[in-house]
Amino acid sequence: MGVKNLWDILESCKKTLPLHYLQNKRVCVDLSCWMVQLQNVNKSHCPMKDKVYLKSLFHRLRALIALNCSLIFVTDGSIPAIKLATYRRRLNSGSEVENQVTQEGINSKKLSSLRRNMGSEFSCMIKEAKVLGLALGIPCLDGIEEAEAQCALLNLESLCDGCFSSDSDIFLFGARTVYRDICVGEGGHVVCYEMADIEQKLGFGRNSLITLALLLGSDYSHGVHGLGPGSACKIVKSVGDKDILQKIVSEGLSFAKKTKNSKNQGRAKCNDNATTLHHEVSINGSNHNLQRDNQCLQVVEAYMKPKCHSADSDVVHSVLAQHPFQREQLHQLCAQLFDWPPDKTDEYILPKIAERNLRRFAKLRSTSSLLGVDIPLKEIPVKCPVSAIIKCRKAHGKECFEVSWDELDGIKTSVVSADLIESACPEKIKEFEDRRALEKKNHRKPRPKKSEQKCSMAEIDLKFKDLLLDTELGSKSVTIASREVISGKMITAPEGNSVYQGLNVILESECNDDRKNAALSPQTSTIAPKHEVVDLLSPSPQVLSQNVFRYTKMNGQNISVIDLSDSETESSPEHAKKARELRLFLASIRDK
């Protein structure tokens, strides 16, 4: 519980921070508060035998382990004597507490702290959580009395960076940074309160918060009846943080009652009988007021000087040391509690352990860099846990790398954020980029230069002419004219070529409609088929049994046209071979 209405008073100082804020921090955990939270969340959905609260704790721990957040579990010890009345009220007059109170008497000075019932269901839950934490390398510190007081002491002595607790009285014990709630799912965050913000925004220091506990009520006091949080805050601010405890020591809570009753002054005057009665009550209640002031002093002392392990004790030093992850014990524990096979347990926890090791390596390098020591990756005494980067990946919209791990049993590869690799080992990223660039270069086909392309085109033209010439020479046809008309265009034959000199050969191509019409040859008085364009890529046409002559006019003169496809005899094998080579050559040009 803590101090009544204190969380509402501190609402303006609440900060919601991303879960990544806990990276590389050491945090103490009031384990009882965590288990109460997890139990309340899962109690309505699943029975206790399913251990859902313990599974939730496991996933919370693995998320914090991946951030290299070093945790210390702190458990409650004995119940403080000043808290016995509150404890009895919560347990509905438990027999153990009631018997001890009866034996020791009502005066809280004579009561000693009461040992907790370690056989209760909640105590068994705490034991399971401690065993799970030890398997994960999380130590546990058993407090002498209040766990939140022990956490606050470690935080006040700068032995940890903050405390996890939902009890608001942790500020009264001296805590400086308190994390109240945590969420480790998608968009994980943590709710944080800083004592520096409370002092700056509200003007309340530790002394003022203790006074608010006396006025409003807490685990150690009942408070002033009828006094609300607004009035209590005004009273504390009117005195100031430095003088408030001194005023309580000297006057008790009477100054608060005077302030409260000052509004009623000047109303109806009391008669003599009423004045006499008021005087008698004051005399008879003086002992009660004195006892109440003594209780206030005890509450102040309980908050200012709680029973805890000192910061320089061996117990504290042992929990501050780094504890190893115990894989085999975790396998056995998860099999016993959750019925998980070892492979499933490794799949959950080993990537987080690897990521934690990488964050520790990154922290080592950053610390060395701040000290002005920049050591190359290969010369660092601590070996980098990343062996190599395999490929680029994306996870939850963030740039990541799939990496292979070195010297970590049970895991070969996993996905890690690119920012972490950049901070831990940027040399690995450069090696990966160089390797990928080299692979692309080896697989890339070289492009010919423009000059080479021109030469190759000239060679293609020359080869085409040679093949065409060889094909024509191989056919047994009439003498070829010195000029060719191909596709209706005149092409002048090159000089010095005896094959082309003095002759004209005209090749006509006509539309498909004209092919259907028959033509009458003037020499033979027979119907001659229209000339068809020969596709050199198609098979050779059948040889006609007779020559077909046709005439066409050019520049007013009749010119004989001899179809290349016409021959007196069948083409020779050499001619067929040349034609086939020509078709293959043209097909290769088309593909290119």
Side-chain angles (χ1 to χ4, degrees):
M1 170 186 166
V3 181
K4 188 177 179 180
N5 297 323
L6 185 55
W7 287 124
D8 296 334
I9 296 173
L10 303 180
E11 181 68 20
S12 61
C13 300
K14 181 175 74 173
K15 296 185 294 187
T16 301
L17 304 173
L19 192 63
H20 196 267
Y21 179 79
L22 297 176
Q23 175 180 318
N24 299 327
K25 294 186 182 296
R26 175 182 282 143
V27 182
C28 293
V29 178
D30 186 347
L31 189 56
S32 298
C33 292
W34 267 20
M35 297 310 295
V36 169
Q37 290 176 352
L38 298 174
Q39 182 188 24
N40 292 337
V41 169
N42 299 289
K43 183 169 56 176
S44 58
H45 302 287
C46 303
M48 294 293 292
K49 64 180 181 180
D50 292 338
K51 308 290 184 183
V52 179
Y53 62 91
L54 211 55
K55 288 182 182 178
S56 300
L57 177 65
F58 173 79
H59 290 297
R60 179 179 290 188
L61 294 178
R62 61 189 284 267
L64 293 174
I65 285 174
L67 293 174
N68 190 31
C69 180
S70 302
L71 299 175
I72 300 175
F73 285 164
V74 181
T75 59
D76 290 310
S78 302
I79 304 169
I82 196 172
K83 193 178 178 179
L84 288 177
T86 303
Y87 190 72
R88 179 176 58 182
R89 186 174 64 253
R90 289 178 181 174
L91 294 180
N92 196 14
S93 300
S95 57
E96 277 189 86
V97 179
E98 192 168 350
N99 292 336
Q100 183 165 350
V101 171
T102 304
Q103 293 174 2
E104 299 291 343
I106 304 248
N107 191 348
S108 59
K109 282 186 177 181
K110 297 181 180 179
L111 291 176
S112 59
S113 59
L114 179 67
R115 185 171 181 174
R116 298 178 187 271
N117 182 11
M118 303 306 294
S120 65
E121 184 180 31
F122 186 75
S123 296
C124 293
M125 292 170 58
I126 296 294
K127 290 178 182 178
E128 291 173 341
K130 289 170 62 176
V131 174
L132 179 63
L134 289 173
L136 293 171
I138 300 173
C140 182
L141 176 61
D142 295 323
I144 297 177
E145 288 186 347
E146 298 279 45
E148 62 264 34
Q150 186 68 63
C151 292
L153 176 64
L154 296 179
N155 187 211
L156 185 62
E157 296 291 336
S158 299
L159 296 179
C160 69
D161 299 301
C163 313
F164 271 109
S165 181
S166 57
D167 287 337
S168 58
D169 56 0
I170 191 170
F171 292 105
L172 284 63
F173 289 115
R176 302 295 301 176
T177 302
V178 177
Y179 306 107
R180 185 183 180 188
D181 296 316
I182 181 175
C183 174
V184 297
E186 185 67 23
H189 63 271
V190 61
V191 177
C192 176
Y193 295 82
E194 296 276 358
M195 193 65 190
D197 296 335
I198 297 172
E199 294 170 349
Q200 181 179 0
K201 293 182 179 181
L202 302 179
F204 294 152
R206 185 180 178 184
N207 297 338
S208 298
L209 297 180
I210 293 175
T211 306
L212 288 176
L214 293 170
L215 298 177
L216 299 175
S218 67
D219 293 341
Y220 297 167
S221 62
H222 296 288
V224 177
H225 181 70
L227 191 64
S231 301
C233 291
K234 289 180 181 179
I235 293 172
V236 173
K237 286 184 178 180
S238 64
V239 180
D241 187 72
K242 292 182 179 180
D243 303 326
I244 191 70
L245 288 184
Q246 185 64 34
K247 197 170 187 66
I248 290 177
V249 170
S250 59
E251 301 181 22
L253 295 179
S254 57
F255 78 95
K257 294 179 181 180
K258 291 177 182 178
T259 306
K260 177 185 175 183
N261 295 329
S262 62
K263 298 179 182 180
N264 299 326
Q265 293 178 358
R267 294 183 180 179
K269 294 183 179 180
C270 299
N271 54 28
D272 295 340
N273 294 334
T275 304
T276 304
L277 180 61
H278 176 75
H279 180 68
E280 291 176 356
V281 171
S282 298
I283 295 175
N284 294 333
S286 60
N287 292 333
H288 177 72
N289 293 334
L290 181 60
Q291 183 179 359
R292 187 180 183 89
D293 292 342
N294 290 334
Q295 290 178 352
C296 290
L297 295 177
Q298 292 176 18
V299 170
V300 172
E301 185 177 3
Y303 282 127
M304 296 298 293
K305 297 179 180 179
K307 292 183 179 180
C308 301
H309 297 289
S310 61
D312 57 351
S313 63
D314 295 337
V315 179
V316 172
H317 287 166
S318 64
V319 298
L320 294 178
Q322 195 173 99
H323 293 257
F325 161 62
Q326 302 177 17
R327 184 183 174 196
E328 296 298 331
Q329 292 186 12
L330 185 63
H331 285 171
Q332 297 175 4
L333 189 62
C334 291
Q336 178 184 352
L337 296 174
F338 314 136
D339 293 329
W340 288 352
D343 293 343
K344 185 174 182 179
T345 304
D346 286 343
E347 182 181 353
Y348 275 132
I349 197 62
L350 289 184
K352 306 300 181 181
I353 297 292
E355 188 174 344
R356 180 191 66 181
N357 295 343
L358 186 59
R359 290 188 189 277
R360 288 178 177 176
F361 185 79
K363 184 180 179 182
L364 174 65
R365 296 202 72 179
S366 63
T367 304
S368 301
S369 179
L370 291 175
L371 296 176
V373 181
D374 292 327
I375 306 176
L377 183 63
K378 295 181 180 180
E379 299 179 7
I380 297 178
V382 180
K383 192 174 183 180
C384 179
V386 173
S387 176
I389 297 176
I390 300 175
K391 59 182 178 180
C392 298
R393 295 284 293 272
K394 263 197 174 183
H396 304 293
K398 296 182 179 180
E399 297 293 334
C400 300
F401 290 115
E402 183 177 349
V403 302
S404 59
W405 300 102
D406 192 16
E407 297 181 358
L408 186 61
D409 295 335
I411 182 174
K412 294 182 179 179
T413 64
S414 67
V415 179
V416 183
S417 66
D419 294 338
L420 178 57
I421 299 294
E422 180 67 31
S423 62
C425 47
E427 296 88 349
K428 298 291 183 181
I429 298 179
K430 188 175 185 306
E431 291 177 4
F432 169 70
E433 291 176 347
D434 293 344
R435 185 173 68 251
R436 187 169 59 173
L438 183 61
E439 291 175 355
K440 287 184 178 180
K441 184 177 180 180
N442 293 335
H443 286 84
R444 187 184 303 164
K445 294 182 179 180
R447 276 187 169 184
K449 297 180 180 179
K450 290 185 177 180
S451 59
E452 295 177 356
Q453 289 181 353
K454 292 181 179 179
C455 294
S456 61
M457 291 300 295
E459 292 174 358
I460 289 174
D461 291 341
L462 182 59
K463 190 173 182 180
F464 173 74
K465 292 177 180 178
D466 291 342
L467 286 173
L468 185 60
L469 179 61
D470 292 342
T471 304
E472 292 174 349
L473 290 176
S475 64
K476 296 179 180 180
S477 60
V478 297
T479 308
I480 303 173
S482 63
R483 292 178 179 271
E484 293 180 1
V485 181
I486 300 176
S487 299
K489 296 182 180 180
M490 296 295 296
I491 303 176
T492 304
E495 296 181 359
N497 193 330
S498 60
V499 179
Y500 292 92
Q501 291 177 357
L503 297 175
N504 289 329
V505 177
I506 303 173
L507 302 176
E508 290 183 345
S509 63
E510 301 180 19
C511 301
N512 291 333
D513 295 336
D514 295 334
R515 293 177 185 174
K516 297 179 181 179
N517 301 324
L520 182 62
S521 174
Q523 281 97 343
T524 60
S525 300
T526 59
I527 297 175
K530 282 289 183 177
H531 170 72
E532 293 181 359
V533 178
V534 177
D535 187 358
L536 296 178
L537 296 181
S538 64
S540 300
Q542 295 182 356
V543 180
L544 300 178
S545 60
Q546 61 183 352
N547 292 336
V548 178
F549 297 88
R550 289 179 294 142
Y551 291 89
T552 184
K553 285 188 175 183
M554 180 174 293
N555 297 328
Q557 298 179 357
N558 291 332
I559 301 175
S560 300
V561 178
I562 301 176
D563 289 342
L564 292 178
S565 59
D566 298 338
S567 178
E568 295 180 358
T569 60
E570 294 183 356
S571 61
S572 63
E574 183 67 22
H575 175 268
K577 179 179 178 183
K578 294 293 182 179
R580 185 168 54 255
E581 290 180 358
L582 179 59
R583 286 194 296 272
L584 294 175
F585 176 73
L586 293 175
S588 65
I589 294 177
R590 177 180 296 177
D591 294 339
K592 292 182 179 178

